[in-house]
Amino acid sequence: MRSDEMVEALSTGFQNLYNKYTRSENGPQDDGRCEIYIVPPNKKSANTVVLVDNNTSQGFQRYRPKARKSFEFDVKQLCISKHLKWQTMRQSRLRTSTGQCCPICIPNIANGNERVVSNLRNLLDIYNIKTVKKSMFGCFVDDLKFFYQLKSQEYKYIYDEVLEDEVVVKAISTVARNACADDLADGDSRFDEEIKTQQANTRCILTIISANAKNWVYKVIGWFTYRMVSLLATSLVVQPAQIERVREAEQSGLPVIYLPLHKSHMDYILLGLVLTMNNIKPPLVAAGENLRVFFISKLLSFLGAFYIKRHVDTKKDQLYWSVLSSYIKNSMKNGHHIEFFLEGARTRSGKCCVPKAGLLSIIVDAYREKVIEDAWIIPVSMNYDRILEGNFVREQLGQPKKKETFFVAIWTFIKAICSHYGIMRVDFNRPYRLRDLYESIDKLTQLENESLSKNGMEVMSPTICYKNTVDRMAKHIVYDCWKSTPIMSTHAVCFLLLNKYRNGTTLEQLAKDLSILRDKLSQGDRDVGFSGKSIEVIKHALDLLGPKLVVYENTDNGHFVKPILDVSALIELSYYANNLISHFMHKSIVALTIFKLVSQEFWNTSITEKKISRKELVEDVLFLFNLLQFDFVFIKSCDSLDNIVERVIRSFEEEDIILIDMMLEEERRSHNMAKQLDYDSDSDDDYQQSHVEVDIHYRVNTNVSSLNKLKFYRSVMMPYLECMAESAGSFLALSESSVTERQHIQTILNQMHENLEEGILSYGESISVDTIKHSFLAFEKFNCLQITTKDNIKTLCVNNQSSESNEGMKVMSEYIEEFVKQIN
């Protein structure tokens, strides 16, 4: 009997273990249901709408229902996947260190399993720094003493070295020869005069570019900035462990390349302040020429700013590019560190922008040409409860950007010191070697080129290979940095209000959801830039957002919180909410695809589940990645689409969105085996086995809880797809085959405002000039649109080769509509 009891006990134990890891544990249930409302209610009853241009006879029929009904979901089930895991996370102060290196590209440094105790320091409390002790004279004198005693850094002026650089001298000669190519040859007086002219141009360019960093200015401005930030913010938070890593990199003797995400003009100010206060040499900073305004330009130059053009054509602007690249290379060679923004301009939407790899190519060139032995790459993220600039609503609604002037800067400063901006935070990702990242990604590019050669396709030239490698490096850096950026209180509150509570909710309910979201982010190795009770965090965030963005009032049922549904307010709220897109974007894309594949069968109550094909799922996800490629960096070069889809599916299995069965596991194994067989056949030169492809199917759960989780994830990326749908549909009503970009953007904006009032558009924040412009680039990639530029004026030409109507754009529009169709 004892042996039977032991066998039964072991069997029960193994069964419980199996259930624990293969079935979702939803945790305790309660009756806490709330109503979610995605868009303002539509008061009209029409089911379809026809968009007709008054100047044309052609209309575009949109079969999108106007009204979106409210639906209910269980708050407890929305974010919880494994409740017991969350309890463990809450009880432990140890967490995964954020900002780790990529374990694939940087295997020698990456340490993804490292656990550290959360330890933050507020630099605005000067006495937190061990070198400062409280004196009888007060904090004002103590601050002055602290900055006076800071270490003096050495900044070498390299003006003459750049003028004598072989590359610059050669560029001068080339430009001069091209200028007088039709007239005379070397040695002629005309050529000599042209040489002198180009040398003068070189000195002029270099004078504008060159920084003139001075130690005493760093200390004086550092103290002044410290006092001003103390007035503006509650705290300036850093992690001491990150600072120590940066210090070690700086003391190695190699140049350090700081690559921050760009949100505000405060970014380079805060980074310089943090480094100065920790006795780390601040870098030279690449600044846009728009900042060359009276007095400020000279001051920033003393702080290490060198000014560059926003757009440089390396062929037409050969002299400028040679001077700029020589300046950066010689700066690194002479012990300077460099800081620049891979995104170029500040983000207008809150999310990270697709990077531009121009300046990064200069750094990589310096390594390849042995100008420098190597360099440290340090991605940096600056985060704010509220940004100093206020908002970018004007620009997103199509109005021109305000020009930077001295008086505008002074007025902005006066308004800033009369306001409050909450917490500011600076985070440094783990430093890694430029050589490691370059060699890893270059190897992937070379393998891709070899694959093209084996398949009989045209291989990439060395120049294109190098360009692809640098572009992939830039995207890799931005992707990793964005994924590890801490989430601030305003970000989390705005995200919940826009994606769950557009109709408003009670403060208590919002606090419950915020607690769940905090745990979800911690479980996903995301750092949270706030602490304390969730109710207090929400009150802090609401106070910063203000009454123009949120309604916070007392009612008979308690405190009620609701976002303002005006377009301008929604755009500004989305700016903060978009910081969480990096955590949810893959799930959102897969959720959008699942909705498209199951169509209206989801709403048939007699169906408990629906099977979808993995092959179709991956194809649609790839389409959305390509469609939004100018808005997002979805994937790193060392990752794959299959891996992303597999991770999301595994997560959906934990949340009971995708049902687990043994048949699915068998299909997965068959799929992996087929891929392995296919790989083996490709590596065999003597015998080529036919390609083996096994499709697997997922069972989608169609109960209420699963559907509402999918709706939540779907809503995260919907504003961008709605904008794409409106942009594609607008081309179908064109009376002419071409139109200027500026004119058509305004047409789309007017159309979107009208559709929002009619209830056709679900999201007011989908009205965005940035996304509209990116849609044009995406349509061009899909060969649905041609973009030509003449005299700095862009013209959009709808491809119209075989018929009067544009079949390519029509198919594109209909395909996008399948993703954004409204759900009752």
Side-chain angles (χ1 to χ4, degrees):
M1 293 294 294
R2 288 185 178 180
S3 61
D4 293 341
E5 291 175 359
M6 184 177 296
V7 170
E8 184 178 353
L10 286 172
S11 176
T12 304
F14 280 123
Q15 184 62 40
N16 291 338
L17 186 64
Y18 173 80
N19 292 337
K20 177 178 179 181
Y21 288 101
T22 59
R23 289 180 173 82
S24 174
E25 297 172 17
N26 292 324
Q29 303 294 319
D30 62 15
D31 295 329
R33 292 178 176 270
C34 64
E35 191 176 75
I36 180 170
Y37 193 65
I38 297 300
V39 292
N42 176 37
K43 298 179 181 179
K44 301 188 178 183
S45 58
N47 293 323
T48 61
V49 63
V50 180
L51 297 179
V52 181
D53 191 334
N54 292 332
N55 298 324
T56 69
S57 59
Q58 183 182 7
F60 175 52
Q61 188 81 9
R62 307 292 289 279
Y63 294 95
R64 226 192 293 171
K66 291 183 180 179
R68 179 189 293 263
K69 295 183 180 179
S70 61
F71 56 90
E72 295 186 355
F73 65 96
D74 191 331
V75 176
K76 291 287 185 181
Q77 292 182 351
L78 180 60
C79 291
I80 298 179
S81 59
K82 294 288 185 181
H83 188 75
L84 294 181
K85 284 185 181 180
W86 293 45
Q87 293 292 350
T88 304
M89 292 295 291
R90 290 193 188 101
Q91 294 167 1
S92 175
R93 295 181 63 222
L94 292 177
R95 58 173 175 79
T96 301
S97 178
T98 57
Q100 293 296 307
C101 302
C102 174
I104 298 174
C105 297
I106 320 289
N108 297 327
I109 299 179
N111 191 0
N113 296 323
E114 181 183 8
R115 297 276 169 175
V116 297
V117 177
S118 179
N119 181 22
L120 303 176
R121 176 182 294 169
N122 178 16
L123 289 185
L124 297 185
D125 183 359
I126 199 76
Y127 303 110
N128 265 337
I129 303 174
K130 295 180 181 179
T131 57
V132 181
K133 294 183 179 179
K134 204 166 189 177
S135 71
M136 60 182 292
F137 301 105
C139 62
F140 187 84
V141 174
D142 293 342
D143 296 347
L144 280 172
K145 182 180 178 182
F146 169 76
F147 280 93
Y148 176 76
Q149 293 178 343
L150 287 175
K151 177 183 175 182
S152 294
Q153 307 290 349
E154 180 182 354
Y155 292 95
K156 185 177 179 182
Y157 196 62
I158 59 169
Y159 188 94
D160 293 332
E161 291 188 26
V162 176
L163 289 178
E164 297 168 1
D165 193 307
E166 182 182 347
V167 175
V168 175
V169 173
K170 185 177 178 180
I172 292 173
S173 178
T174 302
V175 173
R177 185 174 289 108
N178 292 338
C180 56
D182 298 333
D183 296 332
L184 303 168
D186 285 1
D188 195 271
S189 59
R190 169 69 192 281
F191 179 75
D192 292 338
E193 289 177 7
E194 193 63 37
I195 286 286
K196 292 179 182 179
T197 301
Q198 297 305 326
Q199 287 175 342
N201 291 341
T202 301
R203 286 191 290 271
C204 181
I205 293 171
L206 188 55
T207 301
I208 294 173
I209 287 179
S210 295
N212 189 16
K214 297 185 180 297
N215 248 299
W216 68 270
V217 178
Y218 266 115
K219 292 184 179 182
V220 172
I221 300 301
W223 171 81
F224 178 77
T225 303
Y226 175 83
R227 298 306 305 176
M228 290 303 100
V229 173
S230 299
L231 294 175
L232 299 175
T234 305
S235 54
L236 174 58
V237 177
V238 297
Q239 292 197 42
Q242 294 177 354
I243 297 295
E244 289 307 311
R245 289 173 183 167
V246 174
R247 192 190 312 279
E248 291 172 6
E250 194 259 346
Q251 292 175 351
S252 68
L254 294 175
V256 179
I257 313 301
Y258 296 94
L259 300 174
L261 298 181
H262 201 6
K263 292 188 176 180
S264 167
H265 283 315
M266 284 293 292
D267 293 345
Y268 34 81
I269 296 173
L270 289 186
L271 180 58
L273 177 62
V274 169
L275 295 176
T276 300
M277 293 182 69
N278 287 278
N279 278 319
I280 299 173
K281 184 177 180 178
L284 303 183
V285 186
E289 279 194 324
N290 59 308
L291 294 178
R292 290 186 64 238
V293 296
F294 170 71
F295 177 71
I296 294 176
S297 61
K298 199 67 176 176
L299 180 61
L300 292 179
S301 179
F302 287 152
L303 293 173
F306 61 97
Y307 297 97
I308 62 174
K309 293 180 180 179
R310 289 288 187 189
H311 305 285
V312 182
D313 189 323
T314 56
K315 294 181 179 179
K316 294 181 180 179
D317 245 340
Q318 185 179 358
L319 182 61
Y320 182 90
W321 181 254
S322 66
V323 173
L324 175 61
S325 58
S326 176
Y327 179 78
I328 293 176
K329 291 174 184 177
N330 279 283
S331 295
M332 293 188 293
K333 184 179 178 180
N334 284 277
H336 295 297
H337 307 309
I338 303 294
E339 173 192 347
F340 60 90
F341 301 97
L342 279 171
E343 299 168 282
R346 292 166 292 167
T347 174
R348 265 58 179 175
S349 59
K351 63 178 181 61
C352 79
C353 303
V354 176
K356 302 172 180 63
L359 292 182
L360 182 62
S361 68
I362 296 176
I363 307 297
V364 177
D365 278 340
Y367 162 69
R368 296 172 75 213
E369 296 166 3
K370 307 299 181 184
V371 176
I372 56 173
E373 177 187 348
D374 202 351
W376 289 102
I377 298 292
I378 305 183
V380 188
S381 62
M382 266 70 68
N383 235 332
Y384 311 86
D385 272 342
R386 183 176 161 217
I387 60 169
L388 190 71
E389 285 85 343
N391 60 66
F392 299 100
V393 173
R394 292 181 72 259
E395 296 172 45
Q396 291 292 66
L397 292 178
Q399 299 179 38
K401 177 186 174 183
K402 288 184 178 180
K403 188 177 179 180
E404 306 282 356
T405 66
F406 175 75
F407 296 106
V408 168
I410 294 298
W411 177 240
T412 301
F413 175 74
I414 293 172
K415 288 195 298 182
I417 60 176
C418 298
S419 303
H420 189 64
Y421 297 90
I423 298 172
M424 298 180 180
R425 179 163 173 172
V426 180
D427 283 86
F428 300 87
N429 280 26
R430 194 183 189 100
Y432 54 85
R433 297 288 188 96
L434 171 69
R435 176 182 58 199
D436 293 338
L437 182 63
Y438 170 72
E439 291 180 353
S440 296
I441 296 183
D442 185 56
K443 188 179 295 184
L444 290 174
T445 306
Q446 296 301 330
L447 289 173
E448 182 180 319
N449 219 15
E450 291 176 9
S451 176
L452 292 174
S453 178
K454 286 182 180 179
N455 293 326
M457 301 173 67
E458 184 180 355
V459 298
M460 296 179 287
S461 66
T463 303
I464 295 177
C465 277
Y466 175 64
K467 184 178 183 300
N468 286 348
T469 297
V470 177
D471 285 342
R472 288 174 172 180
M473 289 175 66
K475 290 180 180 179
H476 197 302
I477 293 167
V478 166
Y479 179 92
D480 282 343
C481 192
W482 192 35
K483 292 284 281 186
S484 62
T485 300
I487 303 302
M488 310 302 284
S489 60
T490 49
H491 304 168
V493 171
C494 290
F495 180 79
L496 290 173
L497 290 176
L498 288 184
N499 291 284
K500 291 178 61 178
Y501 296 120
R502 293 204 175 211
N503 203 34
T505 185
T506 63
L507 179 64
E508 292 74 18
Q509 185 60 61
L510 189 59
K512 289 180 182 178
D513 274 10
L514 180 60
S515 297
I516 293 174
L517 181 61
R518 291 167 73 172
D519 287 338
K520 185 70 173 178
L521 293 171
S522 297
Q523 189 186 30
D525 296 336
R526 290 298 294 270
D527 202 1
V528 178
F530 53 89
S531 59
K533 294 181 179 179
S534 291
I535 286 184
E536 299 303 321
V537 170
I538 292 172
K539 289 180 178 178
H540 167 76
L542 295 179
D543 180 57
L544 290 171
L545 294 171
K548 292 183 179 180
L549 299 180
V550 288
V551 174
Y552 179 48
E553 57 188 4
N554 291 326
T555 64
D556 295 336
N557 297 324
H559 298 284
F560 189 77
V561 182
K562 179 182 177 182
I564 301 294
L565 298 180
D566 177 72
V567 171
S568 298
L570 286 171
I571 292 174
E572 188 170 352
L573 287 169
S574 70
Y575 178 94
Y576 297 103
N578 284 346
N579 286 272
L580 277 89
I581 286 184
S582 60
H583 188 76
F584 290 100
M585 62 182 177
H586 291 154
K587 289 183 178 180
S588 183
I589 291 292
V590 174
L592 279 158
T593 301
I594 289 175
F595 266 96
K596 172 187 174 293
L597 293 177
V598 298
S599 188
Q600 294 300 318
E601 294 181 35
F602 251 169
W603 317 115
N604 188 341
T605 56
S606 63
I607 298 177
T608 58
E609 63 182 55
K610 167 70 178 175
K611 281 196 173 184
I612 59 173
S613 163
R614 177 191 173 90
K615 181 181 178 181
E616 293 179 355
L617 178 70
V618 171
E619 287 175 354
D620 284 340
V621 169
L622 179 60
F623 168 76
L624 292 181
F625 278 13
N626 289 330
L627 182 67
L628 298 170
Q629 63 180 298
F630 298 101
D631 278 290
F632 295 93
V633 180
F634 284 110
I635 188 171
K636 301 183 291 185
S637 55
C638 58
D639 205 351
S640 70
L641 179 63
D642 276 344
N643 290 339
I644 289 174
V645 171
E646 187 63 25
R647 287 196 294 268
V648 173
I649 293 299
R650 291 288 187 180
S651 175
F652 280 2
E653 285 175 348
E654 290 186 351
E655 298 185 61
D656 279 339
I657 296 172
I658 301 294
L659 298 175
I660 303 174
D661 58 19
M662 295 309 296
M663 288 298 295
L664 182 58
E665 293 298 328
E666 291 293 335
E667 288 180 349
R668 277 190 178 128
R669 281 195 286 271
S670 299
H671 179 70
N672 292 334
M673 186 177 296
K675 284 170 53 178
Q676 184 62 38
L677 288 172
D678 189 45
Y679 172 79
D680 292 340
S681 69
D682 287 342
S683 60
D684 189 352
D685 294 331
D686 299 327
Y687 173 70
Q688 287 293 325
Q689 183 176 338
S690 60
H691 180 72
V692 180
E693 184 174 347
V694 178
D695 191 17
I696 62 178
H697 290 77
Y698 302 119
R699 294 164 52 212
V700 182
N701 193 352
T702 57
N703 64 26
V704 175
S705 173
S706 171
L707 297 183
N708 286 304
K709 290 175 188 177
L710 280 173
K711 287 179 182 179
F712 168 76
Y713 289 130
R714 181 178 185 260
S715 68
V716 174
M717 296 291 291
M718 273 290 286
Y720 294 93
L721 279 185
E722 279 204 334
C723 187
M724 290 283 177
E726 294 293 324
S727 179
S730 67
F731 286 100
L732 303 183
L734 283 179
S735 59
E736 300 178 357
S737 60
S738 63
V739 64
T740 62
E741 183 187 61
R742 180 176 297 182
Q743 177 185 348
H744 197 60
I745 287 174
Q746 194 58 52
T747 300
I748 295 174
L749 289 173
N750 294 337
Q751 170 187 301
M752 293 182 75
H753 280 286
E754 292 175 5
N755 289 347
L756 183 64
E757 293 178 1
E758 293 291 330
I760 301 168
L761 269 185
S762 303
Y763 299 87
E765 63 270 29
S766 65
I767 302 175
S768 165
V769 167
D770 279 354
T771 307
I772 292 173
K773 289 181 178 179
H774 294 156
S775 72
F776 299 157
L777 298 175
F779 298 153
E780 185 182 34
K781 285 283 187 180
F782 281 103
N783 294 321
C784 299
L785 189 69
Q786 291 180 349
I787 303 177
T788 58
T789 304
K790 185 178 181 181
D791 299 329
N792 292 326
I793 298 176
K794 288 185 178 181
T795 302
L796 311 176
C797 180
V798 178
N799 290 342
N800 188 8
Q801 298 176 356
S802 59
S803 63
E804 294 183 1
S805 61
N806 177 15
E807 290 299 325
M809 188 64 77
K810 183 178 180 181
V811 171
M812 172 65 67
S813 178
E814 291 174 352
Y815 197 46
I816 299 175
E817 286 287 338
E818 287 295 308
F819 290 97
V820 301
K821 59 190 174 187
Q822 295 201 16
I823 299 168
N824 294 327

